[in-house]
Amino acid sequence: MKSLFSISRSCEINCRTRGDQHTTAEGQTEEAFAIITVPALPALQHIHERMPLVLDRSHWPLWWHPHARRPHLDPCFQPADFSWESFSVSPQVNSTRYNTPEAVLPWDGTAPD
C-alpha cells in the first residue's frame, strides 16, 4: 500500500484558485481550473517527484495581472521561500466513514480500528 501524507507549510497559508467560467450545452455555468505542477522541493521529493505550484506572495500581482503572458511569469515558477512539514497519516483518510480530524494526525503505522 502507498503511504499517505499530510503536507503543509510551516506557517499560515492563504490558498486561492483562479478558474474560468463557461456554460455547458445544458445551460449550466461551471467553473474550471487547473493545478500546475512543478518539480518537488527537496523536502518533499521522498513523497513525489512533483508538487503543485505554490506562489510566493510577492508574485501574486504579476500572476494575477490581466496582461501577463507566459514569458512574464517565469519568476513565478521558482519555489516559494518557506519550509514544508510532512508526516504519514492513517489510510482511514481515504474513507468517507472516517470523516474526523483524527484521520489527518500523524500515524505510527499500526492498523486502524
Side-chain angles (χ1 to χ4, degrees), residues 1-73:
M1 174 195 307
K2 290 186 177 184
S3 297
L4 303 171
F5 291 88
S6 173
I7 303 169
S8 63
R9 279 183 38 183
S10 298
C11 57
E12 184 178 332
I13 189 168
N14 184 356
C15 295
R16 297 179 183 203
T17 60
R18 180 177 182 176
D20 290 318
Q21 290 189 345
H22 69 279
T23 304
T24 67
E26 294 80 24
Q28 298 291 324
T29 300
E30 293 181 345
E31 189 163 339
F33 67 94
I35 296 175
I36 299 170
T37 63
V38 295
L41 295 171
L44 301 175
Q45 288 176 352
H46 69 283
I47 299 170
H48 198 275
E49 64 192 36
R50 299 197 58 82
M51 64 180 275
L53 172 64
V54 179
L55 295 175
D56 189 277
R57 186 179 297 266
S58 66
H59 292 142
W60 289 3
L62 176 60
W63 186 262
W64 294 103
H65 194 282
H67 302 294
R69 297 294 175 254
R70 178 59 177 95
H72 304 119
L73 298 174

